[in-house]
Amino acid sequence: MTASEFDDVWVVVPVFNEAPVLEAVLDGLTAVFPWVCVVDDASDDGSGGIARCFADRGVRLLTHPVNLGQGAALQTGFEYVLGDPSMARVVTFDADGQHVVDDAVRLARRLTAGFDVVLGSRFVARKASPMGWPKRSLLRLAVAYTRVSTRLKVSDTHNGLRALNRQAVGLMNLTQSGMAHATEILERIKQRGLRYTEEPVEIHYSAYSRAKGQPLLNAVNILVDLLVK
Amino acid sequence: MLIKIILIAAVLLLGAGMLRGQGKRRQALRRIGLVVFAVVAVTSILQPDYLTWVAQRINVGRGADLLLYALIVVFFSYIATRYRRDTRTQEMITAISRRVALNQAPPPRPPDTPGQATPDRPDTAGQATPARPDTAGQATPRQPNR
């Protein structure tokens, strides 16, 4: 049933040292999505081996020989799935277990209502998620900056859960290797006039993802990456 | 102050040079700069007083101060050049690594998976919305079946 509904969907999962949670994440994804592309960004904790164990459940593993950053991993995944002629939709999904598979399902379905890109958002009213005020205000600041620079009306610019149709994937061509790719995706949407919408998603801030997540100071790096090209 | 104007002009010029100008032209300018530097260096070794003389022309106290200022300007221009070159190198590494990853990967959808993939589906390549009957009502965020 679901296998046929999502047979045209590829889930792209950029992975860098996520061994403790990767198995659970892939378990959840492969239960719903027949095709998952894991891009291992040169992990040294055995994440690649875990992904390889899922080969018979539709998980394809790509391995960067050196660590390049999440943006580069996403772009590698995009180029790979574009090689599948029957791919029509792509869902990007973080490997640290902060996303919910049901949300990915909803985003993928929402695409078929005539959107090129569906962006997951933590700030669309429906689902609030607990996060500290420094992180919240920093993300708000990023949103404000993006709204000014791209003039897109988005409420969450740095959410790893997104759905794109084939056309949008082909147009992405991400060059920002690090975390600035989140803004770059939005710039592409603007440049190419892609039809986009937001969809509320839940984020699980586990102790793991908190420890693993973006340190606040990294925002400085992202800003410089965007300003100095 | 004359020195302030000169230094600011130098910084701005170097900055502009970093941004514009490609390949041969910049290489030529860099080589001219190198020759000028060599001449100035040799002259100031043979005739140390001359630097002080130049410094005083432009309202700097000593030749050593002038040398320091010049060094700072050159150092920053070096950083800027380095940064640009690093960025280009990084782009190349990314391209190569991506190619390696793609070349080593298995094909996305092997033809011998009849259980999962329907081999002869209508071509959905480049199509915005794959034709499917279940799109009604998807615009509202509701909880779908699991």
Side-chain angles (χ1 to χ4, degrees), chain B residues 32-59:
Chain B
I32 292 173
L34 203 64
V35 170
V36 171
F37 168 79
V39 169
V40 170
V42 170
T43 318
S44 53
I45 291 167
L46 296 176
Q47 199 70 34
D49 294 343
Y50 130 89
L51 253 188
T52 305
W53 180 83
V54 174
Q56 278 165 354
R57 290 307 96 170
I58 54 174
N59 303 344

Side-chain angles (χ1 to χ4, degrees), chain A residues 82-160:
Chain A
L82 281 168
D84 176 9
S86 39
M87 178 276 286
R89 293 177 285 175
V90 165
V91 174
T92 67
F93 199 92
D94 286 349
D96 60 3
Q98 62 169 301
H99 296 317
V100 185
V101 175
D102 279 348
D103 285 337
V105 166
R106 232 178 37 254
L107 261 68
R109 287 198 173 131
R110 186 101 193 261
L111 263 189
T112 59
F115 295 105
D116 299 313
V117 183
V118 182
L119 302 159
S121 173
R122 284 162 281 195
F123 297 122
V124 173
R126 201 165 68 93
K127 286 177 180 171
S129 52
M131 70 176 94
W133 69 264
K135 179 150 193 154
R136 178 179 291 269
S137 38
L138 182 79
L139 283 167
R140 294 276 190 197
L141 201 68
V143 169
Y145 168 78
T146 311
R147 277 188 171 177
V148 171
S149 65
T150 66
R151 296 201 204 89
L152 291 178
K153 291 186 186 61
V154 291
S155 60
D156 186 3
T157 51
H158 287 74
N159 196 303

Side-chain angles (χ1 to χ4, degrees), chain B residues 35-120:
Chain B
V35 170
V36 171
F37 168 79
V39 169
V40 170
V42 170
T43 318
S44 53
I45 291 167
L46 296 176
Q47 199 70 34
D49 294 343
Y50 130 89
L51 253 188
T52 305
W53 180 83
V54 174
Q56 278 165 354
R57 290 307 96 170
I58 54 174
N59 303 344
V60 178
R62 301 175 305 156
D65 292 340
L66 184 62
L67 205 61
L68 179 67
Y69 292 150
L71 199 64
I72 288 171
V73 170
V74 169
F75 177 63
F76 276 112
S77 76
Y78 173 75
I79 289 181
T81 320
R82 196 70 250 174
Y83 183 81
R84 276 166 54 94
R85 192 169 304 175
D86 281 353
T87 309
R88 252 205 325 273
T89 312
Q90 186 59 43
E91 282 166 8
M92 285 191 272
I93 293 174
T94 301
I96 295 168
S97 302
R98 180 166 295 140
R99 191 35 54 207
V100 169
L102 289 170
N103 284 356
Q104 288 181 342
R109 193 177 302 221
D112 57 334
T113 51
Q116 283 188 304
T118 40
D120 277 316

